[in-house]
Amino acid sequence: MNGPRFNEWIQSQKVRVIDHEGENLGVMYTREAMAQAKELGLDLVEVSPNADPPVAKFLDVGKFKYEAQKKANLARKSQKTQEIKEIKMRPNIDDHDYDTKMKKVAEFIGEGDKVKVTMRFRGRELSHGQLGMAVLQRVAEQVADVAKVEAYPRMEGRQMLMVLAPK
């Protein structure tokens, strides 16, 4: 059974009862509370099973489940998934190109996404890894106020990778 326990499925002998108008009726036997709920045409629904004694309310169980499902869907809809965006650079990148890429990095971090900065080496550039490292250090320093370095620069084949995450 999924969802809250109600009526016969409530396992405790006594429950703290709250009626359909939100009034606290105090602690009573579960059978007694179920009888009162039936008289009103409602169900006895356990809303706080971990309390001592458990708290139960007079509710329409179908409506209660529907509302809970609706609330869960809304929460799932409004939650943002964090994506990893990638920015590719070369070690001998020009100033204007660098500035353009940095605007995109700032935009991605502003949206709450992680940014993977990839430094690609071609030909003889591979023997000058310090140039690529210098550019990545410059990137890290420039975004230090809005992002933190999650994965420090490391070589993977012909590319050097660094991951930035929003603070």
Side-chain angles (χ1 to χ4, degrees), residues 88-94 101 118-123 125 131-132 135:
K88 293 183 179 179
M89 295 184 182
R90 297 274 311 281
N92 54 350
I93 190 168
D94 201 36
K101 302 245 184 207
T118 305
M119 182 65 56
R120 303 190 71 192
F121 295 97
R122 286 166 54 187
E125 292 172 349
L131 294 176
V135 174

Side-chain angles (χ1 to χ4, degrees), residues 15 25 33 35 43-44 59 63 67 124 130 133 138 143:
V15 288
L25 301 181
D43 301 299
L44 184 68
L59 297 168
K63 188 175 178 185
E67 294 292 335
R124 294 191 191 124
Q130 74 278 5
M133 183 61 90
R138 187 172 153 202
V143 295

Side-chain angles (χ1 to χ4, degrees), residues 6-121:
F6 60 96
N7 295 343
E8 305 77 46
W9 286 284
I10 296 176
Q11 293 164 349
S12 56
Q13 293 288 311
K14 291 183 175 182
V15 288
R16 181 174 305 278
V17 180
I18 296 168
D19 72 1
H20 58 290
E21 290 157 359
E23 292 292 316
N24 188 350
L25 301 181
V27 179
M28 58 173 72
Y29 286 103
T30 306
R31 272 196 231 100
E32 204 177 300
M34 272 195 300
Q36 285 186 18
K38 279 248 187 322
E39 282 174 26
L40 295 166
L42 297 170
D43 301 299
L44 184 68
V45 181
E46 199 173 39
V47 289
S48 181
N50 299 332
D52 186 35
V55 179
K57 264 185 175 176
F58 293 165
L59 297 168
D60 177 6
V61 79
K63 188 175 178 185
F64 181 73
K65 281 184 176 179
Y66 172 74
E67 294 292 335
Q69 187 180 7
K70 207 165 148 185
K71 199 189 296 184
N73 286 346
L74 188 68
R76 187 168 43 250
K77 192 158 92 177
S78 64
Q79 134 186 102
K80 183 178 185 333
T81 56
Q82 195 175 48
E83 294 179 31
I84 295 186
K85 306 281 187 166
E86 186 174 18
I87 296 286
K88 293 183 179 179
M89 295 184 182
R90 297 274 311 281
N92 54 350
I93 190 168
D94 201 36
D95 287 338
H96 182 262
D97 296 338
Y98 174 84
D99 294 338
T100 307
K101 302 245 184 207
M102 287 310 294
K103 278 183 191 160
K104 287 307 271 182
V105 167
E107 182 186 317
F108 292 150
I109 287 175
E111 291 170 4
D113 294 324
K114 289 183 181 183
V115 179
K116 176 177 165 186
V117 184
T118 305
M119 182 65 56
R120 303 190 71 192
F121 295 97

